[in-house]
mmCIF file of all heavy atoms in Angstrom:
data_model
loop_
_atom_site.group_PDB
_atom_site.id
_atom_site.type_symbol
_atom_site.label_atom_id
_atom_site.label_comp_id
_atom_site.label_asym_id
_atom_site.label_seq_id
_atom_site.Cartn_x
_atom_site.Cartn_y
_atom_site.Cartn_z
ATOM 1 N N VAL D 5 12.937 -16.496 -85.688
ATOM 2 C CA VAL D 5 11.966 -15.876 -84.785
ATOM 3 C C VAL D 5 10.562 -16.259 -85.270
ATOM 4 O O VAL D 5 10.193 -15.993 -86.413
ATOM 5 C CB VAL D 5 12.156 -14.346 -84.758
ATOM 6 C CG1 VAL D 5 11.127 -13.688 -83.859
ATOM 7 C CG2 VAL D 5 13.573 -14.008 -84.298
ATOM 8 N N ALA D 12 5.160 -13.458 -77.492
ATOM 9 C CA ALA D 12 5.815 -13.326 -76.175
ATOM 10 C C ALA D 12 6.400 -11.924 -76.015
ATOM 11 O O ALA D 12 6.363 -11.331 -74.925
ATOM 12 C CB ALA D 12 6.901 -14.389 -76.026
ATOM 13 N N ASP D 37 0.955 15.975 -71.094
ATOM 14 C CA ASP D 37 -0.293 16.016 -70.333
ATOM 15 C C ASP D 37 -0.454 14.817 -69.403
ATOM 16 O O ASP D 37 -1.582 14.474 -69.041
ATOM 17 C CB ASP D 37 -1.483 16.134 -71.285
ATOM 18 C CG ASP D 37 -1.502 14.989 -72.281
ATOM 19 O OD1 ASP D 37 -0.535 14.204 -72.298
ATOM 20 O OD2 ASP D 37 -2.483 14.869 -73.031
ATOM 21 N N GLY D 41 1.868 6.995 -69.832
ATOM 22 C CA GLY D 41 1.848 5.690 -69.150
ATOM 23 C C GLY D 41 0.477 5.061 -69.195
ATOM 24 O O GLY D 41 0.329 3.874 -69.533
ATOM 25 N N VAL D 51 -4.739 -5.052 -76.133
ATOM 26 C CA VAL D 51 -4.036 -5.936 -77.077
ATOM 27 C C VAL D 51 -3.912 -7.343 -76.497
ATOM 28 O O VAL D 51 -4.237 -8.341 -77.152
ATOM 29 C CB VAL D 51 -2.628 -5.365 -77.395
ATOM 30 C CG1 VAL D 51 -1.743 -6.405 -78.041
ATOM 31 C CG2 VAL D 51 -2.739 -4.124 -78.283
ATOM 32 N N PRO D 59 -2.768 -15.763 -82.615
ATOM 33 C CA PRO D 59 -2.666 -15.420 -84.029
ATOM 34 C C PRO D 59 -1.884 -16.500 -84.798
ATOM 35 O O PRO D 59 -0.977 -17.116 -84.236
ATOM 36 C CB PRO D 59 -1.905 -14.100 -84.028
ATOM 37 C CG PRO D 59 -1.215 -14.035 -82.719
ATOM 38 C CD PRO D 59 -1.956 -14.885 -81.753
ATOM 39 N N PHE D 66 0.322 -8.705 -85.783
ATOM 40 C CA PHE D 66 0.590 -7.271 -85.760
ATOM 41 C C PHE D 66 -0.587 -6.446 -86.279
ATOM 42 O O PHE D 66 -0.723 -5.283 -85.923
ATOM 43 C CB PHE D 66 1.901 -6.965 -86.486
ATOM 44 C CG PHE D 66 3.099 -7.458 -85.719
ATOM 45 C CD1 PHE D 66 3.939 -8.425 -86.244
ATOM 46 C CD2 PHE D 66 3.367 -6.974 -84.448
ATOM 47 C CE1 PHE D 66 5.036 -8.894 -85.528
ATOM 48 C CE2 PHE D 66 4.458 -7.435 -83.707
ATOM 49 C CZ PHE D 66 5.296 -8.404 -84.252
ATOM 50 N N SER D 75 -7.354 1.996 -82.062
ATOM 51 C CA SER D 75 -8.742 2.223 -81.621
ATOM 52 C C SER D 75 -8.871 2.432 -80.115
ATOM 53 O O SER D 75 -9.874 2.978 -79.673
ATOM 54 C CB SER D 75 -9.638 1.074 -82.082
ATOM 55 O OG SER D 75 -9.210 -0.125 -81.486
ATOM 56 N N ALA D 80 -1.607 10.822 -79.141
ATOM 57 C CA ALA D 80 -0.793 10.724 -80.365
ATOM 58 C C ALA D 80 -0.123 9.360 -80.464
ATOM 59 O O ALA D 80 0.064 8.817 -81.557
ATOM 60 C CB ALA D 80 0.281 11.813 -80.344
ATOM 61 N N ALA D 95 5.470 -7.623 -93.618
ATOM 62 C CA ALA D 95 6.825 -7.897 -94.116
ATOM 63 C C ALA D 95 7.420 -9.174 -93.527
ATOM 64 O O ALA D 95 8.497 -9.598 -93.929
ATOM 65 C CB ALA D 95 7.728 -6.707 -93.787
ATOM 66 N N ALA D 107 14.421 -5.603 -91.084
ATOM 67 C CA ALA D 107 13.751 -4.873 -92.169
ATOM 68 C C ALA D 107 12.299 -4.566 -91.795
ATOM 69 O O ALA D 107 11.780 -3.480 -92.096
ATOM 70 C CB ALA D 107 13.811 -5.694 -93.457
ATOM 71 N N LEU D 109 11.066 -4.176 -88.725
ATOM 72 C CA LEU D 109 11.064 -3.117 -87.705
ATOM 73 C C LEU D 109 11.316 -1.758 -88.354
ATOM 74 O O LEU D 109 10.709 -0.754 -87.992
ATOM 75 C CB LEU D 109 12.133 -3.408 -86.643
ATOM 76 C CG LEU D 109 11.870 -4.642 -85.766
ATOM 77 C CD1 LEU D 109 13.139 -5.031 -85.003
ATOM 78 C CD2 LEU D 109 10.722 -4.383 -84.793
ATOM 79 N N GLU D 123 11.436 14.263 -87.520
ATOM 80 C CA GLU D 123 12.795 14.058 -88.002
ATOM 81 C C GLU D 123 13.682 13.698 -86.816
ATOM 82 O O GLU D 123 13.321 13.977 -85.672
ATOM 83 C CB GLU D 123 13.294 15.332 -88.686
ATOM 84 C CG GLU D 123 12.550 15.541 -89.990
ATOM 85 C CD GLU D 123 12.957 16.808 -90.715
ATOM 86 O OE1 GLU D 123 13.985 17.417 -90.342
ATOM 87 O OE2 GLU D 123 12.224 17.164 -91.645
ATOM 88 N N THR D 128 11.275 12.759 -80.117
ATOM 89 C CA THR D 128 10.108 11.866 -80.159
ATOM 90 C C THR D 128 10.575 10.419 -80.034
ATOM 91 O O THR D 128 11.781 10.142 -79.975
ATOM 92 C CB THR D 128 9.330 11.982 -81.483
ATOM 93 O OG1 THR D 128 10.133 11.412 -82.533
ATOM 94 C CG2 THR D 128 8.975 13.419 -81.827
ATOM 95 N N VAL D 130 10.859 8.410 -82.293
ATOM 96 C CA VAL D 130 11.751 8.133 -83.418
ATOM 97 C C VAL D 130 13.221 8.220 -82.990
ATOM 98 O O VAL D 130 14.076 7.503 -83.521
ATOM 99 C CB VAL D 130 11.411 9.131 -84.561
ATOM 100 C CG1 VAL D 130 12.497 9.187 -85.618
ATOM 101 C CG2 VAL D 130 10.058 8.771 -85.184
ATOM 102 N N ALA D 138 19.644 1.212 -86.560
ATOM 103 C CA ALA D 138 21.027 1.303 -87.073
ATOM 104 C C ALA D 138 21.906 0.274 -86.372
ATOM 105 O O ALA D 138 22.716 -0.416 -87.008
ATOM 106 C CB ALA D 138 21.566 2.719 -86.862
ATOM 107 N N ASP D 142 23.941 -2.909 -88.015
ATOM 108 C CA ASP D 142 25.393 -3.053 -87.806
ATOM 109 C C ASP D 142 25.704 -4.425 -87.218
ATOM 110 O O ASP D 142 26.676 -5.075 -87.616
ATOM 111 C CB ASP D 142 25.917 -1.987 -86.824
ATOM 112 C CG ASP D 142 26.005 -0.617 -87.480
ATOM 113 O OD1 ASP D 142 25.821 -0.525 -88.713
ATOM 114 O OD2 ASP D 142 26.234 0.374 -86.744
ATOM 115 N N ASP D 149 23.132 -12.875 -84.790
ATOM 116 C CA ASP D 149 21.806 -13.439 -85.028
ATOM 117 C C ASP D 149 20.755 -12.470 -84.455
ATOM 118 O O ASP D 149 21.099 -11.376 -83.977
ATOM 119 C CB ASP D 149 21.695 -14.845 -84.428
ATOM 120 C CG ASP D 149 21.898 -14.852 -82.909
ATOM 121 O OD1 ASP D 149 21.972 -13.763 -82.307
ATOM 122 O OD2 ASP D 149 21.971 -15.951 -82.339
ATOM 123 N N ARG D 151 19.011 -12.555 -81.783
ATOM 124 C CA ARG D 151 19.200 -12.273 -80.357
ATOM 125 C C ARG D 151 20.289 -11.226 -80.139
ATOM 126 O O ARG D 151 20.123 -10.277 -79.358
ATOM 127 C CB ARG D 151 19.562 -13.592 -79.675
ATOM 128 C CG ARG D 151 19.934 -13.474 -78.245
ATOM 129 C CD ARG D 151 20.318 -14.860 -77.729
ATOM 130 N NE ARG D 151 20.873 -14.762 -76.402
ATOM 131 C CZ ARG D 151 21.043 -15.800 -75.591
ATOM 132 N NH1 ARG D 151 20.706 -17.003 -75.985
ATOM 133 N NH2 ARG D 151 21.536 -15.627 -74.403
ATOM 134 N N VAL D 172 15.147 20.170 -77.631
ATOM 135 C CA VAL D 172 13.924 20.975 -77.631
ATOM 136 C C VAL D 172 12.917 20.269 -78.545
ATOM 137 O O VAL D 172 13.245 19.927 -79.686
ATOM 138 C CB VAL D 172 14.218 22.403 -78.155
ATOM 139 C CG1 VAL D 172 12.922 23.193 -78.355
ATOM 140 C CG2 VAL D 172 15.151 23.135 -77.199
ATOM 141 N N ALA D 173 11.707 20.015 -78.042
ATOM 142 C CA ALA D 173 10.712 19.249 -78.808
ATOM 143 C C ALA D 173 10.187 20.057 -79.987
ATOM 144 O O ALA D 173 9.849 21.236 -79.844
ATOM 145 C CB ALA D 173 9.555 18.851 -77.896
ATOM 146 N N SER D 196 9.611 3.475 -76.297
ATOM 147 C CA SER D 196 10.255 2.759 -77.410
ATOM 148 C C SER D 196 11.521 2.032 -76.943
ATOM 149 O O SER D 196 11.857 0.973 -77.484
ATOM 150 C CB SER D 196 10.570 3.715 -78.561
ATOM 151 O OG SER D 196 9.389 4.003 -79.283
ATOM 152 N N ALA D 197 12.216 2.575 -75.946
ATOM 153 C CA ALA D 197 13.354 1.846 -75.377
ATOM 154 C C ALA D 197 12.860 0.551 -74.715
ATOM 155 O O ALA D 197 13.493 -0.498 -74.841
ATOM 156 C CB ALA D 197 14.111 2.725 -74.377
ATOM 157 N N LEU D 207 14.006 -12.675 -76.739
ATOM 158 C CA LEU D 207 14.840 -13.554 -77.569
ATOM 159 C C LEU D 207 15.955 -14.188 -76.739
ATOM 160 O O LEU D 207 16.351 -15.330 -76.988
ATOM 161 C CB LEU D 207 15.409 -12.789 -78.766
ATOM 162 C CG LEU D 207 14.362 -12.256 -79.756
ATOM 163 C CD1 LEU D 207 15.027 -11.565 -80.936
ATOM 164 C CD2 LEU D 207 13.427 -13.369 -80.255
ATOM 165 N N ARG D 210 14.591 -17.308 -74.549
ATOM 166 C CA ARG D 210 14.272 -18.594 -75.178
ATOM 167 C C ARG D 210 15.553 -19.357 -75.543
ATOM 168 O O ARG D 210 15.493 -20.490 -75.994
ATOM 169 C CB ARG D 210 13.407 -18.390 -76.416
ATOM 170 C CG ARG D 210 14.185 -17.708 -77.479
ATOM 171 C CD ARG D 210 13.478 -17.372 -78.730
ATOM 172 N NE ARG D 210 14.551 -17.050 -79.651
ATOM 173 C CZ ARG D 210 14.527 -17.145 -80.949
ATOM 174 N NH1 ARG D 210 13.433 -17.534 -81.548
ATOM 175 N NH2 ARG D 210 15.563 -16.864 -81.682
#
Side-chain angles (χ1 to χ4, degrees):
V5 178
D37 57 353
V51 164
F66 290 117
S75 63
L109 293 166
E123 290 178 13
T128 70
V130 165
D142 285 351
D149 61 8
R151 174 182 172 166
V172 172
S196 283
L207 297 182
R210 68 183 194 154

